[in-house]
């Protein structure tokens, strides 16, 4: 589809009744529009969000079967608990959209650089925790929102990942995390295609006002 299609235009005419999907960062920005459009076409959509109150407000603004699952992608034990407690035996899609960008160097509760921990590691833990549900929903899909910034830095030194406090810059940390997201999509496809799980990474477009640099 050419031009600048909306989520509604892309999903027009598709009946998603009976499909169950989880969208991280579904309470704002790209995640909100994705979740809203999926629910409008009949899918049951779970909003993975940092704060339950934000998720409830977002769900109230959508039409359809929308539910909230609150957890912090920067807390790996919390992500494991959320995945284990998700009240769904089957999932047909996990859309890993949530992320953070900018600010001074900071670490997650587990001691990882924050951008890497939230954008990448938290989603790794979430996907692994939901693999059995995705297998049960096969053919199922994992969609990972990356960025054209995965090109910077131009090379990835795996022995120096995640970025250190001494080497930290906003752009370098974000690019490193998003490159790892692209590599994750390839690894998931290689390992789990046999289970009927497809994984893709995407660049959502340039200059999108999502508020990613304001979220905590």
């Amino acid at each position: 589809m050419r031009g600048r299609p909306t989520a509604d235009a892309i999903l027009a005419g598709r009946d998603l009744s009976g499909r169950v999907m989880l969208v991280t960062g579904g309470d704002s920005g790209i995640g909100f529009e994705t979740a809203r459009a999926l629910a409008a076409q009949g899918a049951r959509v779970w909003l993975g969000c940092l704060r339950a109150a934000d998720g409830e407000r977002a769900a109230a603004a959508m039409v359809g079967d929308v539910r909230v699952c609150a957890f912090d992608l920067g807390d790996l034990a919390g992500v494991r608990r959320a995945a284990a407690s998700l009240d769904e035996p089957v999932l047909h899609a996990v859309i890993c959209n949530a992320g953070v960008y900018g600010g001074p160097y900071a670490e997650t509760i587990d001691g990882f650089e924050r951008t890497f921990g939230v954008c990448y590691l938290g989603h790794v833990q979430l996907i692994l925790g939901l693999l059995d549900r995705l297998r049960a929903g096969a053919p199922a899909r994992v969609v990972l929102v990356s960025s054209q910034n995965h090109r910077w830095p131009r090379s990835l030194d795996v022995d120096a990942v995640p970025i250190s406090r001494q080497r930290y810059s906003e752009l370098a940390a974000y690019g490193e995390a998003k490159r790892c997201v692209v590599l994750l999509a390839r690894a998931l496809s290689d390992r789990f295609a046999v289970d009927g799980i497809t994984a893709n990474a995407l660049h959502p477009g340039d200059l999108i006002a999502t508020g990613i640099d304001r979220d905590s």
Side-chain angles (χ1 to χ4, degrees), residues 16 45 206:
L16 299 179
V45 180
D206 298 327

Side-chain angles (χ1 to χ4, degrees), residues 102-119:
Y105 179 89
E107 294 182 351
T108 67
I109 191 172
D110 301 293
F112 297 102
E113 188 278 318
R114 176 173 173 261
T115 314
F116 181 81
V118 171
C119 294

